[in-house]
Amino acid sequence: RKVKTGGVRRKFTDSFITESVCDFIQGRSSYAVIKERKNVSIGTLSKWVNAFGNSCLSPIEISEKFKLNEASKWSGTLLLDGKYLNKNSCLLIAVDYLTLDIVAHLVVDKESGKNYAKLINLVLFCGYNIKALVSDGHPSIRALTQTRKEKPLKATRNYPRPGISPVTRTKSKLEGVPHAWCVVHAQRELFTNLTKLKLSKEFNLKLRKQINLILFANTLSKAKKNVKKLAHETRSRPKVFSTTALWILERWEYLTLHFNLRVNKRKIPRSTNVVENVISYVATRLKTMRRIRNRASARAICNLIVLNYRTKPLINTKNKLKRGKSPLSLAIGKKVNLKWTTFIKKSTA
């Protein structure tokens, strides 16, 4: 490959290009550092990164390559979340709870029901069997499991009119799939509601302590006992009751699902910490980069970051059995030494 710099056309070997992209995507160096160290312009390096990112194997192709659609160690408990890269780009991620593997990802314009439905389609095409869903309770994710009720227009009859067929009930994408909400996100929302009420410091701390006892209870009976206590303490204050006890009771089924549901004899998580850790990994890599200017660039960079994460051995995990193994090898069920460069199509690598 030839690049013209300062009137002189320079030649770069394939190994040099791969090494430069590898240094950049693994977070070891920023654009500016690589420019000084390797004497390569930022524009040239950016072209290399986009070329590699656009030539990555898709999640479906990776699934077919290792036959994950036929046999895999995926648990069936799927965690969903999103991260905004800029005003016009958002990264949606679907992570398996047991293997910590990113089953599928998608760069879209925003978090919406349609975009999450596209992500779920991608997950299903990879051969993933969704047995339970865990999320932060975002309305667009709730729409995947909750069927929207059709409201009749005002001043109209609810029963069908002669010659007019009744409104058909459109089913949600994952109707019937158990959906648990993250208790950490619920805690944040409840604390925000308390701050808006401007209560006394002592009463505020008392309510916060009671909320924590409910959301992070060890057993369902303790959670029920504490929510009754909270309802009793706030019944004389309607605003406080509606923003604390009533708020929890309306979402009780989703906030306590982890007590009752088992997937393959394993408890489902009560929080989305697993997917939050993956997002923090992506955010750390993005800090070394320049501002992402368009969605095409965001798609290429995220493809490389996700691919690097899936093939990189886990180090900081608490589970000793997972240390030294990459999320993708855990999904395959064998300890395989994988390199992200092997998942780049030959026309680029």
Side-chain angles (χ1 to χ4, degrees), residues 12 14-25 29 34 38 40 45 48-49:
F12 297 102
D14 290 341
S15 60
F16 178 85
I17 295 171
T18 304
E19 184 184 345
S20 300
V21 175
C22 188
D23 284 347
F24 170 73
I25 215 64
S29 306
I34 296 175
K38 297 186 179 291
V40 178
L45 181 59
W48 292 346
V49 170

Side-chain angles (χ1 to χ4, degrees), residues 292-307:
I292 296 176
R293 303 196 176 193
N294 52 58
R295 204 172 302 153
S297 177
R299 209 169 277 125
I301 291 171
C302 288
N303 284 344
L304 288 173
I305 292 175
V306 169
L307 193 57

Side-chain angles (χ1 to χ4, degrees), residues 3 6 20 23 59 86 99 128 131 135-137 141 144 175 180 206 216 236 240 243 265-266 284 291-292 318 321:
V3 178
S20 300
D23 284 347
N86 55 30
T99 62
Y128 193 92
K131 298 177 181 177
S135 74
D136 57 2
I141 302 178
L144 295 172
E175 187 174 3
K206 185 179 180 181
F216 300 98
S236 59
V240 179
T243 55
K265 299 181 181 179
R266 288 188 178 91
T284 303
R291 180 172 59 88
I292 296 176
K318 293 180 180 179
L321 298 175

Side-chain angles (χ1 to χ4, degrees), residues 162-343:
I164 299 175
S165 59
V167 178
T168 55
R169 180 173 170 270
T170 54
K171 291 185 177 181
S172 58
K173 188 71 180 176
L174 298 176
E175 187 174 3
V177 175
H179 185 188
W181 293 6
C182 173
V183 296
V184 176
H185 284 83
Q187 180 198 47
R188 291 175 192 166
E189 192 165 343
L190 286 164
F191 285 1
T192 303
N193 294 340
L194 289 176
T195 305
K196 291 178 181 178
L197 293 175
K198 296 180 180 179
L199 304 170
S200 64
K201 188 176 180 180
E202 291 182 2
F203 190 52
N204 196 337
L205 290 173
K206 185 179 180 181
L207 291 176
R208 285 172 181 249
K209 184 178 179 181
Q210 198 66 35
I211 288 168
N212 286 336
L213 290 173
I214 296 167
L215 297 177
F216 300 98
N218 294 326
T219 61
L220 183 60
S221 58
K222 286 183 179 180
K224 288 180 179 178
K225 181 181 177 181
N226 287 315
V227 78
K228 286 180 181 178
K229 189 176 179 180
L230 178 65
H232 179 76
E233 291 176 352
T234 58
R235 64 181 179 178
S236 59
R237 300 191 180 188
K239 286 186 177 180
V240 179
F241 174 78
S242 62
T243 55
T244 55
L246 184 61
W247 191 94
I248 293 173
L249 290 170
E250 287 176 345
R251 297 157 179 79
W252 184 256
E253 180 185 351
Y254 305 101
L255 295 173
T256 59
L257 187 63
H258 60 276
F259 288 119
N260 303 319
L261 185 64
R262 299 289 184 276
V263 176
N264 296 330
K265 299 181 181 179
R266 288 188 178 91
K267 287 184 179 181
I268 64 170
R270 71 168 76 204
S271 68
T272 56
N273 286 344
V274 170
V275 71
E276 292 287 347
N277 291 337
V278 175
I279 287 177
S280 66
Y281 173 88
V282 174
T284 303
R285 295 295 170 270
L286 289 171
K287 283 180 182 178
T288 62
M289 303 179 187
R290 295 184 301 167
R291 180 172 59 88
I292 296 176
R293 303 196 176 193
N294 52 58
R295 204 172 302 153
S297 177
R299 209 169 277 125
I301 291 171
C302 288
N303 284 344
L304 288 173
I305 292 175
V306 169
L307 193 57
N308 181 56
Y309 168 82
R310 296 186 74 180
T311 56
K312 184 181 178 182
L314 298 169
I315 300 172
N316 299 324
T317 179
K318 293 180 180 179
N319 193 332
K320 293 181 180 179
L321 298 175
K322 294 179 182 178
R323 285 179 195 167
K325 299 177 184 176
S326 65
L328 185 56
S329 66
L330 288 171
I332 297 168
K334 297 177 183 178
K335 188 174 180 180
V336 186
N337 292 325
L338 302 169
K339 291 183 179 181
W340 68 269
T341 51
T342 59
F343 295 91

Side-chain angles (χ1 to χ4, degrees), residues 67-136:
K67 298 182 179 179
L68 296 175
N69 51 351
E70 298 176 7
S72 68
K73 296 295 180 180
W74 285 329
S75 62
T77 302
L78 192 70
L79 293 93
L80 298 180
D81 206 350
K83 174 179 173 55
Y84 277 91
L85 307 172
N86 55 30
K87 291 182 180 179
N88 302 316
S89 300
C90 178
L91 175 64
L92 305 182
I93 295 180
V95 180
D96 178 64
Y97 170 60
L98 184 63
T99 62
L100 311 179
D101 186 29
I102 299 177
V103 182
H105 68 284
L106 208 59
V107 176
V108 292
D109 56 342
K110 61 181 179 179
E111 284 188 279
S112 66
K114 288 183 179 180
N115 289 331
Y116 271 110
K118 290 178 183 177
L119 179 67
I120 290 298
N121 284 335
L122 197 57
V123 169
L124 295 174
F125 281 131
C126 289
Y128 193 92
N129 184 17
I130 305 173
K131 298 177 181 177
L133 199 66
V134 184
S135 74
D136 57 2

